[in-house]
Amino acid sequence: MVPKRVLITVFDYIVITLGTLLFVMAWTSFLLPNNMIDGGMTGVSALLSMVTGVSVDIWYFGINVGLLILAWFVLGRGFGIKTIYSILLSTLLFRVLGSESMRFLWSVEGEVLYVGDGILVPIIGGLLEAIGLSLIILRGGSTGGTDILALIVNKFWPITIGRFYVMADFVVITLLIFVPGHCFTDVVYGYITMGVCAYVLDLITLGKESSVQVLIFSNQLQLIGDYITRIMGRGVTALKAIGWFTQEDRQVLMVMLRKIELTDLVKAVKEIDPKAFVTIVPANSVYGEGFDEMKTGLARKKKKKLNNK
């Protein structure tokens, strides 16, 4: 009988493979054939391909390998096998699906996937990309690229990972306007792709709740707490607790996060302490610094009262 752990691992890789296929198809079937891009290192690879004529898969592989090597020296940590697998598979699929022999899968005139309305192309591309990335992320994988670069930048520059993603994607897409043969319309399409992808990815991986409360039980709380405060830019509260079985005093970390930041935290905790115990509770409303502003209507009523005097 096959052990349950092996079956789970096999299932993980099957889902990651499917997710990687959908992710690459978003690019090779919809975005690239219509001269559109999204953000991230894949977007950088596409830009460099347009300028140099070197295929996207070569740039994609080279950039990710370079970032993995740089991260090894700068961060002193390795990245999961699932991430490396997804990068290698993506490179292969970019080569295969992006070849002229697979033109029947491109969204161009005369082919089955052709979309006549141009505005639908970035929407479909962003949707397909988000679904693919969600499958990869939910099974513990990653496509590398911006994830790695964000960690490297955060080591030297205090900027939250979520903010870095937005800034990086915005810059990459905007650079498309400087590529010969492209115009501002292509840039707008890129922003649409980015928005659709971010929204759907957020919706699938984290549900509709805007914030979450996380409790972390670990023997490496110092390292985890430092990561949350220094790299993610979030506050952490250490709660006193007693292990009922051992009757030993210990601490538990509590942190409130935007849902888009949760994946980064879970990944970091897993790398620091694979045996850590983490609980996540959706929070409908979180008010205070770094979250939503309390809106009770009192200020508005006070202003209205003064105006009536």
Side-chain angles (χ1 to χ4, degrees):
M1 186 176 180
V2 181
K4 183 178 179 180
R5 185 174 181 179
V6 174
L7 293 176
I8 293 176
T9 301
V10 171
F11 179 73
D12 285 347
Y13 278 94
I14 290 175
V15 175
I16 290 175
T17 300
L18 176 60
T20 304
L21 175 62
L22 294 176
F23 166 73
V24 174
M25 282 189 67
W27 284 86
T28 58
S29 294
F30 294 94
L31 301 182
L32 295 178
N34 291 281
N35 293 316
M36 300 177 187
I37 67 169
D38 192 5
M41 289 302 104
T42 311
V44 173
S45 302
L47 282 174
L48 291 173
S49 178
M50 293 174 184
V51 174
T52 65
V54 179
S55 60
V56 174
D57 60 288
I58 294 178
W59 282 113
Y60 180 85
F61 179 74
I63 290 174
N64 276 290
V65 169
L67 287 174
L68 285 171
I69 294 174
L70 182 61
W72 178 272
F73 289 103
V74 175
L75 302 176
R77 67 175 75 181
F79 286 82
I81 298 299
K82 292 178 180 178
T83 295
I84 296 175
Y85 170 76
S86 186
I87 291 173
L88 293 175
L89 181 60
S90 296
T91 302
L92 176 62
L93 290 176
F94 268 115
R95 165 71 66 168
V96 174
L97 299 180
S99 64
E100 191 68 29
S101 62
M102 302 298 287
R103 183 181 175 84
F104 65 93
L105 288 177
W106 297 0
S107 179
V108 294
E109 192 169 359
E111 302 299 340
V112 178
L113 296 180
Y114 174 63
V115 178
D117 191 343
I119 193 65
L120 292 178
V121 175
I123 294 176
I124 297 173
L127 178 62
L128 198 61
E129 184 180 8
I131 294 174
L133 288 173
S134 297
L135 293 176
I136 295 172
I137 292 172
L138 290 173
R139 305 315 301 181
S142 168
T143 55
T146 308
D147 292 343
I148 302 173
L149 187 59
L151 291 175
I152 295 175
V153 171
N154 277 321
K155 184 176 177 67
F156 305 101
W157 189 23
I159 181 175
T160 62
I161 290 178
R163 185 175 300 173
F164 178 84
Y165 285 155
V166 174
M167 292 173 58
D169 288 351
F170 181 82
V171 170
V172 170
I173 294 172
T174 303
L175 287 175
L176 183 62
I177 199 172
F178 298 105
V179 177
H182 291 79
C183 61
F184 186 65
T185 301
D186 299 325
V187 176
V188 174
Y189 284 154
Y191 294 152
I192 293 174
T193 304
M194 178 181 70
V196 171
C197 181
Y199 176 78
V200 176
L201 179 64
D202 204 22
L203 191 64
I204 294 177
T205 57
L206 301 167
K208 63 181 181 180
E209 306 298 343
S210 61
S211 303
V212 291
Q213 175 183 284
V214 183
L215 294 179
I216 304 171
F217 303 77
S218 170
N219 293 323
Q220 301 293 332
L221 293 183
Q222 183 66 49
L223 292 176
I224 296 173
D226 288 344
Y227 176 88
I228 296 172
T229 55
R230 296 177 183 177
I231 295 182
M232 298 189 70
R234 285 297 186 185
V236 183
T237 300
L239 305 177
K240 290 186 178 181
I242 299 176
W244 192 256
F245 181 76
T246 61
Q247 291 297 305
E248 294 180 354
D249 293 334
R250 62 180 304 169
Q251 290 185 321
V252 178
L253 295 186
M254 182 183 75
V255 57
M256 301 300 300
L257 297 172
R258 289 291 189 186
K259 55 185 179 180
I260 196 172
E261 300 171 301
L262 182 58
T263 301
D264 298 313
L265 174 61
V266 173
K267 184 188 298 184
V269 170
K270 184 177 180 180
E271 291 177 356
I272 295 172
D273 182 9
K275 296 183 179 180
F277 186 79
V278 179
T279 65
I280 302 168
V281 180
N284 291 324
S285 301
V286 180
Y287 301 107
E289 184 177 354
F291 293 91
D292 297 329
E293 179 185 355
M294 284 184 280
K295 300 176 181 179
T296 61
L298 294 178
R300 184 178 178 182
K301 291 179 179 179
K302 184 177 180 180
K303 182 178 180 181
K304 184 177 180 180
K305 185 177 181 180
L306 291 174
N307 291 334
N308 292 333
K309 287 184 177 181

